[in-house]
Short mmCIF file of all heavy atoms in Angstrom, two decimals:
data_model
loop_
_atom_site.label_atom_id
_atom_site.label_comp_id
_atom_site.label_asym_id
_atom_site.label_seq_id
_atom_site.Cartn_x
_atom_site.Cartn_y
_atom_site.Cartn_z
N TRP A 1180 112.92 90.66 107.86
CA TRP A 1180 113.45 91.22 106.54
C TRP A 1180 114.86 90.71 106.37
O TRP A 1180 115.76 91.23 107.14
CB TRP A 1180 113.25 92.69 106.54
CG TRP A 1180 113.61 93.26 105.14
CD1 TRP A 1180 113.77 92.66 104.00
CD2 TRP A 1180 114.07 94.62 104.97
NE1 TRP A 1180 114.15 93.55 103.03
CE2 TRP A 1180 114.38 94.77 103.57
CE3 TRP A 1180 114.20 95.76 105.81
CZ2 TRP A 1180 114.81 96.00 103.01
CZ3 TRP A 1180 114.59 96.88 105.28
CH2 TRP A 1180 114.90 97.13 103.89
N VAL A 1181 115.08 89.61 105.61
CA VAL A 1181 116.35 89.08 105.52
C VAL A 1181 117.25 89.65 104.43
O VAL A 1181 116.74 89.74 103.26
CB VAL A 1181 116.20 87.52 105.29
CG1 VAL A 1181 117.60 86.82 105.28
CG2 VAL A 1181 115.35 86.97 106.40
N HIS A 1182 118.48 89.97 104.69
CA HIS A 1182 119.42 90.45 103.73
C HIS A 1182 120.68 89.51 103.60
O HIS A 1182 120.90 88.78 104.60
CB HIS A 1182 119.98 91.85 104.05
CG HIS A 1182 118.93 92.80 104.55
ND1 HIS A 1182 118.20 93.59 103.71
CD2 HIS A 1182 118.55 93.16 105.82
CE1 HIS A 1182 117.30 94.37 104.37
NE2 HIS A 1182 117.52 94.18 105.73
N ASP A 1183 121.31 89.65 102.42
CA ASP A 1183 122.71 89.10 102.43
C ASP A 1183 123.58 90.13 103.03
O ASP A 1183 123.56 91.28 102.64
CB ASP A 1183 123.07 88.81 100.99
CG ASP A 1183 124.37 88.12 100.87
OD1 ASP A 1183 125.35 88.45 101.62
OD2 ASP A 1183 124.56 87.22 99.95
N ASP A 1184 124.35 89.77 104.05
CA ASP A 1184 125.18 90.70 104.80
C ASP A 1184 126.14 91.50 103.92
O ASP A 1184 126.49 92.63 104.26
CB ASP A 1184 125.90 90.01 105.85
CG ASP A 1184 126.64 90.91 106.85
OD1 ASP A 1184 125.98 91.80 107.43
OD2 ASP A 1184 127.80 90.79 107.01
N GLN A 1185 126.49 90.96 102.76
CA GLN A 1185 127.39 91.56 101.88
C GLN A 1185 126.87 92.30 100.72
O GLN A 1185 127.59 92.92 99.92
CB GLN A 1185 128.56 90.59 101.43
CG GLN A 1185 129.22 89.84 102.57
CD GLN A 1185 129.91 90.81 103.51
OE1 GLN A 1185 130.61 91.62 103.12
NE2 GLN A 1185 129.67 90.61 104.73
N ILE A 1186 125.53 92.27 100.62
CA ILE A 1186 124.89 92.81 99.38
C ILE A 1186 123.87 93.78 99.80
O ILE A 1186 123.02 93.47 100.65
CB ILE A 1186 124.28 91.81 98.45
CG1 ILE A 1186 125.33 90.72 98.09
CG2 ILE A 1186 123.62 92.37 97.28
CD1 ILE A 1186 124.77 89.50 97.28
N ALA A 1187 123.89 95.02 99.21
CA ALA A 1187 122.88 96.09 99.54
C ALA A 1187 121.51 95.63 99.05
O ALA A 1187 121.40 95.13 97.91
CB ALA A 1187 123.21 97.35 98.91
N ASP A 1188 120.52 95.88 99.81
CA ASP A 1188 119.09 95.40 99.45
C ASP A 1188 118.41 96.57 98.70
O ASP A 1188 118.47 97.80 99.13
CB ASP A 1188 118.29 95.09 100.71
CG ASP A 1188 117.14 94.19 100.38
OD1 ASP A 1188 116.43 94.42 99.44
OD2 ASP A 1188 116.96 93.05 101.04
N THR A 1189 117.79 96.17 97.65
CA THR A 1189 117.12 97.27 96.71
C THR A 1189 115.78 97.70 97.46
O THR A 1189 115.26 98.80 97.14
CB THR A 1189 116.86 96.73 95.36
OG1 THR A 1189 116.06 95.54 95.50
CG2 THR A 1189 118.17 96.47 94.67
N ASP A 1190 115.16 96.88 98.26
CA ASP A 1190 113.94 97.24 98.84
C ASP A 1190 114.25 98.08 100.06
O ASP A 1190 115.35 98.22 100.53
CB ASP A 1190 113.16 96.02 99.36
CG ASP A 1190 112.51 95.25 98.26
OD1 ASP A 1190 111.82 95.91 97.41
OD2 ASP A 1190 112.71 94.05 98.10
N SER A 1191 113.19 98.75 100.57
CA SER A 1191 113.38 99.72 101.78
C SER A 1191 112.39 99.34 102.79
O SER A 1191 111.30 98.76 102.65
CB SER A 1191 113.03 101.14 101.31
OG SER A 1191 111.66 101.36 100.99
N ALA A 1192 112.80 99.69 104.09
CA ALA A 1192 112.03 99.40 105.23
C ALA A 1192 110.68 100.13 105.05
O ALA A 1192 109.60 99.56 105.43
CB ALA A 1192 112.74 99.72 106.46
N ALA A 1193 110.69 101.34 104.62
CA ALA A 1193 109.46 102.12 104.51
C ALA A 1193 108.47 101.43 103.53
O ALA A 1193 107.28 101.44 103.76
CB ALA A 1193 109.84 103.54 103.98
N LYS A 1194 109.02 100.85 102.46
CA LYS A 1194 108.06 100.18 101.52
C LYS A 1194 107.41 98.94 102.19
O LYS A 1194 106.29 98.70 101.96
CB LYS A 1194 108.91 99.75 100.28
CG LYS A 1194 108.09 99.09 99.15
CD LYS A 1194 108.92 98.71 98.03
CE LYS A 1194 108.15 97.97 96.96
NZ LYS A 1194 108.97 97.56 95.77
N LEU A 1195 108.27 98.23 102.94
CA LEU A 1195 107.71 97.01 103.60
C LEU A 1195 106.69 97.37 104.62
O LEU A 1195 105.63 96.75 104.83
CB LEU A 1195 108.91 96.25 104.28
CG LEU A 1195 109.64 95.34 103.50
CD1 LEU A 1195 110.79 94.72 104.22
CD2 LEU A 1195 108.79 94.20 102.93
N ARG A 1196 106.97 98.46 105.40
CA ARG A 1196 106.06 98.85 106.44
C ARG A 1196 104.65 99.29 105.81
O ARG A 1196 103.59 99.16 106.54
CB ARG A 1196 106.62 99.99 107.25
CG ARG A 1196 107.74 99.49 108.28
CD ARG A 1196 107.97 100.54 109.29
NE ARG A 1196 108.87 100.01 110.35
CZ ARG A 1196 110.18 100.11 110.39
NH1 ARG A 1196 110.75 100.78 109.41
NH2 ARG A 1196 110.91 99.62 111.33
N GLN A 1197 104.72 99.85 104.60
CA GLN A 1197 103.42 100.16 103.95
C GLN A 1197 102.56 98.94 103.79
O GLN A 1197 101.25 99.00 103.82
CB GLN A 1197 103.74 100.86 102.70
CG GLN A 1197 104.21 102.27 102.88
CD GLN A 1197 104.52 102.93 101.49
OE1 GLN A 1197 104.45 102.29 100.48
NE2 GLN A 1197 104.99 104.19 101.53
N GLN A 1198 103.12 97.77 103.64
CA GLN A 1198 102.39 96.64 103.29
C GLN A 1198 102.02 95.76 104.64
O GLN A 1198 101.24 94.90 104.61
CB GLN A 1198 103.16 95.60 102.50
CG GLN A 1198 103.53 96.21 101.14
CD GLN A 1198 104.41 95.25 100.25
OE1 GLN A 1198 104.01 94.19 99.83
NE2 GLN A 1198 105.75 95.60 100.12
N MET A 1199 102.74 96.09 105.72
CA MET A 1199 102.48 95.44 107.00
C MET A 1199 101.26 95.84 107.73
O MET A 1199 100.86 97.01 107.58
CB MET A 1199 103.76 95.62 107.84
CG MET A 1199 104.97 94.91 107.40
SD MET A 1199 106.45 95.38 108.10
CE MET A 1199 106.18 95.29 109.87
N ALA A 1200 100.73 94.99 108.55
CA ALA A 1200 99.53 95.37 109.38
C ALA A 1200 99.94 96.43 110.45
O ALA A 1200 101.12 96.43 110.78
CB ALA A 1200 98.97 94.16 110.05
N ALA A 1201 98.96 97.31 110.81
CA ALA A 1201 99.29 98.17 111.92
C ALA A 1201 99.72 97.41 113.19
O ALA A 1201 99.02 96.47 113.55
CB ALA A 1201 98.10 99.08 112.11
N GLY A 1202 100.72 97.84 113.82
CA GLY A 1202 101.16 97.15 115.07
C GLY A 1202 102.13 96.06 114.79
O GLY A 1202 102.77 95.58 115.87
N ALA A 1203 102.36 95.65 113.53
CA ALA A 1203 103.35 94.55 113.33
C ALA A 1203 104.78 95.13 113.48
O ALA A 1203 104.97 96.35 113.36
CB ALA A 1203 103.14 93.99 111.89
N VAL A 1204 105.74 94.21 113.83
CA VAL A 1204 107.07 94.66 114.17
C VAL A 1204 107.97 94.13 113.00
O VAL A 1204 107.77 93.05 112.55
CB VAL A 1204 107.51 94.03 115.45
CG1 VAL A 1204 108.90 94.37 115.76
CG2 VAL A 1204 106.56 94.53 116.60
N LEU A 1205 108.83 95.04 112.62
CA LEU A 1205 109.85 94.69 111.63
C LEU A 1205 111.22 94.43 112.21
O LEU A 1205 111.67 95.33 113.04
CB LEU A 1205 109.94 95.81 110.60
CG LEU A 1205 111.03 95.61 109.41
CD1 LEU A 1205 110.54 94.40 108.51
CD2 LEU A 1205 111.17 96.87 108.55
N ILE A 1206 111.82 93.27 111.94
CA ILE A 1206 113.09 92.97 112.36
C ILE A 1206 114.03 92.66 111.18
O ILE A 1206 113.63 91.95 110.34
CB ILE A 1206 113.17 91.65 113.31
CG1 ILE A 1206 112.25 91.91 114.47
CG2 ILE A 1206 114.60 91.30 113.70
CD1 ILE A 1206 112.12 90.62 115.33
N GLU A 1207 115.13 93.47 111.12
CA GLU A 1207 116.10 93.21 109.98
C GLU A 1207 117.02 92.10 110.34
O GLU A 1207 117.61 92.03 111.47
CB GLU A 1207 116.81 94.47 109.65
CG GLU A 1207 115.89 95.56 109.03
CD GLU A 1207 116.67 96.64 108.35
OE1 GLU A 1207 117.77 96.40 107.75
OE2 GLU A 1207 116.30 97.83 108.49
N VAL A 1208 117.29 91.18 109.46
CA VAL A 1208 118.22 90.07 109.61
C VAL A 1208 119.27 90.13 108.57
O VAL A 1208 119.01 89.88 107.36
CB VAL A 1208 117.40 88.74 109.58
CG1 VAL A 1208 118.43 87.54 109.72
CG2 VAL A 1208 116.37 88.60 110.58
N ASN A 1209 120.56 90.28 109.05
CA ASN A 1209 121.71 90.32 108.15
C ASN A 1209 122.26 88.85 108.09
O ASN A 1209 122.87 88.41 109.12
CB ASN A 1209 122.78 91.30 108.48
CG ASN A 1209 122.35 92.73 108.28
OD1 ASN A 1209 121.43 92.92 107.36
ND2 ASN A 1209 122.93 93.75 108.84
N ASN A 1210 122.04 88.17 107.07
CA ASN A 1210 122.43 86.73 107.04
C ASN A 1210 123.77 86.51 106.38
O ASN A 1210 124.39 87.43 105.82
CB ASN A 1210 121.39 85.92 106.31
CG ASN A 1210 121.55 84.43 106.39
OD1 ASN A 1210 122.11 83.90 107.30
ND2 ASN A 1210 121.04 83.74 105.35
N LYS A 1211 124.34 85.30 106.52
CA LYS A 1211 125.61 84.93 105.94
C LYS A 1211 126.86 85.59 106.52
O LYS A 1211 127.89 85.81 105.82
CB LYS A 1211 125.56 85.09 104.41
CG LYS A 1211 124.36 84.36 103.75
CD LYS A 1211 124.39 84.47 102.19
CE LYS A 1211 123.14 83.81 101.57
NZ LYS A 1211 123.16 83.87 100.15
N ILE A 1212 126.80 85.89 107.78
CA ILE A 1212 128.03 86.50 108.42
C ILE A 1212 129.11 85.52 108.57
O ILE A 1212 130.27 86.00 108.77
CB ILE A 1212 127.61 87.15 109.82
CG1 ILE A 1212 127.17 85.98 110.69
CG2 ILE A 1212 126.59 88.22 109.70
CD1 ILE A 1212 127.00 86.39 112.20
N ASP A 1213 128.89 84.26 108.32
CA ASP A 1213 129.89 83.23 108.51
C ASP A 1213 130.91 83.44 107.34
O ASP A 1213 132.09 82.95 107.50
CB ASP A 1213 129.34 81.90 108.51
CG ASP A 1213 128.36 81.68 107.18
OD1 ASP A 1213 127.31 82.29 107.20
OD2 ASP A 1213 128.77 80.84 106.35
N ARG A 1214 130.56 83.94 106.18
CA ARG A 1214 131.53 84.05 105.05
C ARG A 1214 132.71 85.00 105.47
O ARG A 1214 133.80 84.72 104.83
CB ARG A 1214 130.81 84.71 103.86
CG ARG A 1214 129.69 83.67 103.29
CD ARG A 1214 129.23 84.14 102.03
NE ARG A 1214 128.50 85.54 102.20
CZ ARG A 1214 127.93 86.14 101.23
NH1 ARG A 1214 127.83 85.65 100.05
NH2 ARG A 1214 127.35 87.35 101.47
N LEU A 1215 132.54 85.90 106.33
CA LEU A 1215 133.72 86.74 106.78
C LEU A 1215 134.11 86.40 108.19
O LEU A 1215 134.79 87.25 108.76
CB LEU A 1215 133.39 88.17 106.56
CG LEU A 1215 133.10 88.68 105.16
CD1 LEU A 1215 132.76 90.14 105.16
CD2 LEU A 1215 134.35 88.38 104.27
N ALA A 1216 133.62 85.32 108.65
CA ALA A 1216 133.96 84.90 110.08
C ALA A 1216 133.52 86.01 111.04
O ALA A 1216 134.19 86.21 112.05
CB ALA A 1216 135.43 84.58 110.22
N GLN A 1217 132.45 86.62 110.78
CA GLN A 1217 131.94 87.73 111.64
C GLN A 1217 131.18 87.17 112.77
O GLN A 1217 130.45 86.22 112.60
CB GLN A 1217 131.11 88.70 110.84
CG GLN A 1217 130.72 90.04 111.56
CD GLN A 1217 129.90 90.99 110.64
OE1 GLN A 1217 129.68 90.63 109.41
NE2 GLN A 1217 129.62 92.16 111.19
N ALA A 1218 131.27 87.79 113.98
CA ALA A 1218 130.55 87.36 115.15
C ALA A 1218 129.05 87.80 115.12
O ALA A 1218 128.80 88.78 114.52
CB ALA A 1218 131.14 87.82 116.45
N PRO A 1219 128.11 87.03 115.52
CA PRO A 1219 126.76 87.40 115.64
C PRO A 1219 126.53 88.68 116.36
O PRO A 1219 127.36 89.03 117.29
CB PRO A 1219 126.08 86.25 116.29
CG PRO A 1219 126.90 85.11 116.22
CD PRO A 1219 128.34 85.63 116.26
N TYR A 1220 125.57 89.47 115.98
CA TYR A 1220 125.30 90.75 116.75
C TYR A 1220 123.85 91.08 116.78
O TYR A 1220 123.00 90.55 115.98
CB TYR A 1220 126.13 91.91 116.09
CG TYR A 1220 125.84 92.10 114.67
CD1 TYR A 1220 124.79 93.01 114.34
CD2 TYR A 1220 126.65 91.49 113.66
CE1 TYR A 1220 124.46 93.16 112.97
CE2 TYR A 1220 126.27 91.83 112.26
CZ TYR A 1220 125.23 92.65 112.02
OH TYR A 1220 124.99 92.79 110.60
N ARG A 1221 123.55 92.02 117.68
CA ARG A 1221 122.23 92.56 117.70
C ARG A 1221 122.36 94.06 118.04
O ARG A 1221 122.99 94.45 119.01
CB ARG A 1221 121.32 91.91 118.73
CG ARG A 1221 119.93 92.59 118.89
CD ARG A 1221 118.91 91.73 119.79
NE ARG A 1221 119.22 91.93 121.10
CZ ARG A 1221 118.33 91.63 122.13
NH1 ARG A 1221 117.24 91.04 121.80
NH2 ARG A 1221 118.70 91.75 123.37
N GLN A 1222 121.76 94.93 117.17
CA GLN A 1222 121.89 96.36 117.41
C GLN A 1222 120.63 97.04 116.82
O GLN A 1222 119.92 96.39 116.11
CB GLN A 1222 123.13 96.88 116.66
CG GLN A 1222 123.21 96.63 115.16
CD GLN A 1222 124.50 96.81 114.55
OE1 GLN A 1222 125.49 96.64 115.19
NE2 GLN A 1222 124.51 97.31 113.34
N ASN A 1223 120.47 98.35 117.11
CA ASN A 1223 119.50 99.13 116.47
C ASN A 1223 120.02 100.09 115.50
O ASN A 1223 121.12 100.67 115.73
CB ASN A 1223 118.71 99.91 117.60
CG ASN A 1223 117.94 99.06 118.56
OD1 ASN A 1223 117.48 97.95 118.10
ND2 ASN A 1223 117.67 99.53 119.71
N ASN A 1224 119.34 100.15 114.38
CA ASN A 1224 119.86 101.18 113.36
C ASN A 1224 119.32 102.48 113.59
O ASN A 1224 118.66 102.83 114.55
CB ASN A 1224 119.51 100.70 111.90
CG ASN A 1224 118.04 100.62 111.65
OD1 ASN A 1224 117.19 101.15 112.39
ND2 ASN A 1224 117.60 99.80 110.68
N GLU A 1225 119.62 103.41 112.66
CA GLU A 1225 119.15 104.84 112.85
C GLU A 1225 117.63 105.01 112.98
O GLU A 1225 117.18 106.07 113.52
CB GLU A 1225 119.70 105.75 111.71
CG GLU A 1225 119.24 105.42 110.36
CD GLU A 1225 120.01 104.28 109.76
OE1 GLU A 1225 120.91 103.73 110.38
OE2 GLU A 1225 119.74 103.93 108.57
N THR A 1226 116.87 104.12 112.41
CA THR A 1226 115.37 104.29 112.48
C THR A 1226 114.80 103.61 113.72
O THR A 1226 113.58 103.67 113.91
CB THR A 1226 114.78 103.62 111.16
OG1 THR A 1226 114.94 102.18 111.27
CG2 THR A 1226 115.25 104.20 110.01
#
């Protein structure tokens, strides 16, 4: 699930998961971090 790192996404993870197959894995990707010279990262959110 790709986002623009600087723009809030109107879709929700819960909505996407309703369409996904059982057992499928969701990975969020915050793209375009180069615009603020931000370093790559990997972390887990509250869910």
